[in-house]
Amino acid sequence: EKIRDIPGLVDLKDNFVKGKPEIRVRVDKEKAALRGLDTYTIAYTVKAAVNGVKVGVYREGKDQYDILARLPEKDRKSIESLKRITVSGPKGEPIPLTSVAEASLATGVGAIQRLDQKRVVTVSGDVSGRLANDVIQEIESRLTRDFNWPRGYSYRFSGEQREQEKAQAFLSKAFVAAIFIILFILLAQFDSFAAPMIIMTSVLMSLIGVFFGLLVTGTAFGIIMTGIGVISLAGVVVNNAIVLIDYYKQLLSRGLSSREALVRAGLTRFRPVMLTAITTLLGLLPMATGVSFDFKKFAWDIGGESSQWWGPMAVAVIFGLGVATLLTLVVVPVLCSLELSLRQRLTTKSKAAP
């Protein structure tokens, strides 16, 4: 009831099964021991009175029927009648049930659900018109602020939230692993630490485009698909910086000055870099907009179900690659020039030192 009126939360239900009323008999072991009785004897007497005990068999032809001895039906449905039951003592003397046990009305458990050997009650629901993360945050705030949990009770989120946390942990590790693998390969190829670090700045610049694109299009940050888009983007955007820096290094080895080499490298590599980015963006555009062509029916399909799943990944790659490409053509040459000037200054200072 505390979370039923949360906006966007629909089809709220649980698997709790209410138990039926029952008569509960609690044996006082100390009083029973003083009278020479045990729990089994008392429980057997109550069971025999209510459920009956087999005292014989009635045969009629080939059929036979069990003969049960128990209290009349009117005495089995009243707790007051149950309290008048007597238990046979060690010497056969009648002992009132109320002197060794307490009978009371209670509610039993309808069904017991367990998870990891612990009793659980599962509350499930769907989300409509809002992000699942926003609804979960509001649920958690209400359960923490407005509800006093009894001792021994706790709650946790599962289902989509749990799967999302697993995906987030996996994709975070995958992104870090991808960055280190790319960096290791670049270090081995360029035999330098400065050039790979300049190339890796394009990855950071692509993240600017990713968040900008999600903000402009109003697309939710999906942990799975947006995360996959960011990881794939890391491998794509470094290609532009590698092409630019590799040609810049070749021009420097031919004896050109740093400024002239940067200008020529930018002019020469501008066309392939832009063509690569534009073809990639155009290829992902139908996926981002949800517009595709069904060749089986020879008809345009707008806003299909697949676009809702692949849309966040396409938006992340399109805007990330677009922004990273433009910034790479400006920022990477600046960083290359800065790196060369710093290296020359350090060389001059080392030569000037006595």
Side-chain angles (χ1 to χ4, degrees):
E1 298 298 331
K2 292 284 186 180
I3 63 175
R4 189 175 295 277
D5 59 342
I6 292 179
L9 184 60
V10 297
D11 297 334
L12 192 65
K13 56 186 177 181
D14 59 69
N15 63 349
F16 178 73
V17 181
K18 294 183 179 180
K20 298 180 179 180
E22 64 181 16
I23 298 176
R24 189 169 295 171
V25 179
R26 296 183 180 275
V27 179
D28 190 330
K29 295 182 179 181
E30 293 183 0
K31 293 181 179 180
L34 292 175
R35 293 179 177 270
L37 298 174
D38 56 16
T39 305
Y40 174 78
T41 303
I42 299 173
Y44 182 80
T45 302
V46 174
K47 179 183 178 182
V50 177
N51 293 337
V53 61
K54 182 179 178 180
V55 295
V57 177
Y58 171 73
R59 291 183 175 84
E60 184 177 347
K62 296 182 179 180
D63 299 328
Q64 62 179 18
Y65 306 92
D66 294 335
I67 301 175
L68 299 178
R70 60 180 178 178
L71 292 176
E73 185 176 356
K74 62 182 181 64
D75 295 333
R76 287 187 276 117
K77 293 187 177 182
S78 171
I79 189 173
E80 298 300 328
S81 299
L82 186 63
K83 290 180 179 180
R84 291 195 292 267
I85 294 176
T86 59
V87 183
S88 298
K91 298 180 181 180
E93 72 277 13
I95 300 175
L97 178 65
T98 54
S99 63
V100 292
E102 179 184 355
S104 60
L105 286 173
T107 302
V109 180
I112 298 178
Q113 307 289 339
R114 294 184 183 274
L115 180 63
D116 297 333
Q117 300 182 354
K118 295 181 180 179
R119 288 189 179 184
V120 296
V121 175
T122 303
V123 180
S124 60
D126 294 327
V127 178
S128 177
R130 293 184 66 187
L131 295 178
N133 288 337
D134 295 340
V135 175
I136 288 175
Q137 289 179 1
E138 189 169 349
I139 292 175
E140 190 166 9
S141 64
R142 289 197 183 187
L143 294 179
T144 305
R145 184 183 67 251
D146 303 334
F147 195 80
N148 294 324
W149 292 93
R151 184 178 179 182
Y153 284 74
S154 62
Y155 72 93
R156 67 179 183 181
F157 295 100
S158 60
E160 181 181 347
Q161 179 70 8
R162 189 174 182 180
E163 295 300 324
Q164 184 173 331
E165 291 176 355
K166 291 181 179 178
Q168 182 177 358
F170 171 75
L171 291 176
S172 299
K173 296 177 182 178
F175 180 73
V176 174
I179 294 298
F180 273 101
I181 293 174
I182 293 173
L183 185 60
F184 177 77
I185 295 175
L186 293 177
L187 287 172
Q189 292 296 320
F190 285 94
D191 196 18
S192 170
F193 188 76
M197 294 306 298
I198 294 174
I199 294 173
M200 296 306 294
T201 56
S202 59
V203 178
L204 298 178
M205 290 186 289
S206 68
L207 295 179
I208 299 174
V210 170
F211 292 115
F212 177 74
L214 295 177
L215 184 63
V216 170
T217 59
T219 304
F221 186 91
I223 297 296
I224 299 177
M225 298 311 299
T226 307
I228 294 175
V230 171
I231 295 174
S232 61
L233 191 61
V236 175
V237 297
V238 295
N239 181 61
N240 297 335
I242 292 174
V243 170
L244 186 62
I245 293 179
D246 182 64
Y247 191 62
Y248 165 70
K249 296 284 186 181
Q250 293 179 17
L251 294 178
L252 286 180
S253 63
R254 296 176 187 177
L256 274 69
S257 63
S258 175
R259 181 181 178 84
E260 186 178 357
L262 288 173
V263 172
R264 184 176 295 185
L267 292 174
T268 305
R269 297 305 184 190
F270 176 80
R271 184 178 180 181
V273 167
M274 291 303 297
L275 285 176
T276 302
I278 292 173
T279 52
T280 304
L281 300 183
L282 292 178
L284 292 173
L285 198 59
M287 188 183 298
T289 57
V291 178
S292 60
F293 186 80
D294 190 345
F295 288 95
K296 185 177 181 179
K297 299 180 180 179
F298 284 95
W300 291 98
D301 185 14
I302 301 176
E305 296 181 359
S306 60
S307 63
Q308 299 179 3
W309 175 254
W310 297 101
M313 186 193 74
V315 170
V317 176
I318 288 175
F319 281 87
L321 182 59
V323 173
T325 300
L326 296 177
L327 292 180
T328 297
L329 295 173
V330 177
V331 176
V332 170
V334 173
L335 293 177
C336 290
S337 177
L338 181 61
E339 182 265 336
L340 183 62
S341 62
L342 290 176
R343 190 171 56 185
Q344 290 176 350
R345 289 183 183 180
L346 293 175
T347 304
T348 304
K349 287 183 179 180
S350 62
K351 291 181 179 180

